[in-house]
Amino acid sequence: MSLGPVPVLRPRAATGHDFAAVVALEQACFDEPWGPDSVAAELGAPDRIVRVAAGAGGVLGWSSTSVVAETADLLRVAVEPSARGRGLGHALVDDVLRSAGAAGATRVLLEVAEPNTAARALYAATGFREIHRRRRYYAGGADALVLERLLP
Ligand SMILES: CC(C)(COP(=O)(O)OP(=O)(O)OC[C@H]1O[C@@H](n2cnc3c(N)ncnc32)[C@H](O)[C@@H]1OP(=O)(O)O)[C@@H](O)C(=O)NCCC(=O)NCCS
C-alpha cells in the first residue's frame, strides 16, 4: 500500500525554543557543524532571518540568512538526513527568497563547495547562477562557487 506523497512542511520563524533542535540538526548535517554558541548568535542577531521547518517529528530543517541593505546572504540551509529528497530543502530556499525579498533584498548570494552536488542541485532548482569561483577555498582544497539569485 502506498502512503502517498509526504506533505512539505511550511517553514516558520525560529524561536529560542528551537535552539537545541537546531544544534542537533547541525551535528547531523555537517562535518564541521556550528556549535551552540554560533547557533545562539544566529538566533539572536538582528540582521538574520532564521527559519525552521518543523512538524510533529520536531525540527527537520533550518535556514539562516543575513540581510544587509539590498543583499541577502544565505549562510546555512540544512535538512535532517532522514528527511531529504522530499522537497524540504526546496521549500526552505523558496522561503528564504520570499523572506529576503520582504526584508528589502534584491538579490541573494551564497557560497557552496563544488563537490556538494545535492546543494548545487537544490540551488540550480531554485534559480541561482554561478557568478564567481574561489579556488581552493575550503580546507580540503575544494573550490567555492559563489551563486546569485536576483529577486523580482
Ligand atoms: C542540500 C540539502 C539541504 C537538500 O535538501 P533536500 O530536502 O534533500 O532537497 P530537496 O528534496 O528539496 O531537493 C531539491 C532539489 O535538489 C535535488 N537534489 C537533492 N538532493 C540531491 C542529490 N543528492 N543529488 C542530486 N540532486 C539532488 C532534487 O532532485 C531537487 O531538484 P528538483 O527541485 O528539480 O526536483 C540537504 O542535502 C542537506 O541538508 N545537505 C547537508 C547540508 C548542506 O550541504 N547544506 C548546503 C550547504 S550550507
Side-chain angles (χ1 to χ4, degrees):
M1 185 186 77
S2 166
L3 295 175
V6 180
V8 168
L9 300 169
R10 183 190 294 266
R12 62 161 170 81
T15 74
H17 296 293
D18 300 311
F19 169 72
V22 171
V23 172
L25 198 54
E26 276 289 305
Q27 284 168 355
C29 291
F30 291 99
D31 293 338
E32 294 181 17
W34 287 355
D37 290 350
S38 299
V39 171
E42 293 300 301
L43 286 167
D47 69 342
R48 291 292 196 279
I49 299 172
V50 185
R51 309 280 289 176
V52 293
V59 174
L60 296 178
W62 85 298
S63 71
S64 184
T65 305
S66 93
V67 182
V68 178
E70 81 289 350
T71 299
D73 282 287
L74 174 50
L75 303 171
R76 214 67 161 166
V77 59
V79 171
E80 157 71 33
S82 66
R84 289 179 190 165
R86 302 188 209 157
L88 207 46
H90 200 126
L92 279 161
V93 174
D94 278 347
D95 172 76
V96 165
L97 301 179
R98 272 194 303 274
S99 306
T106 57
R107 65 177 185 154
V108 181
L109 298 176
L110 62 83
E111 271 164 15
V112 62
E114 186 171 39
N116 191 347
T117 49
R120 288 180 61 195
L122 167 61
Y123 301 139
T126 48
F128 284 82
R129 71 184 181 94
E130 184 181 330
I131 57 166
H132 187 61
R133 173 184 292 263
R134 299 190 210 281
R135 297 204 181 273
R136 301 184 62 78
Y137 182 76
Y138 295 101
D143 289 357
L145 306 178
V146 181
L147 309 187
E148 178 188 55
R149 168 68 148 81
L150 298 178
L151 298 176

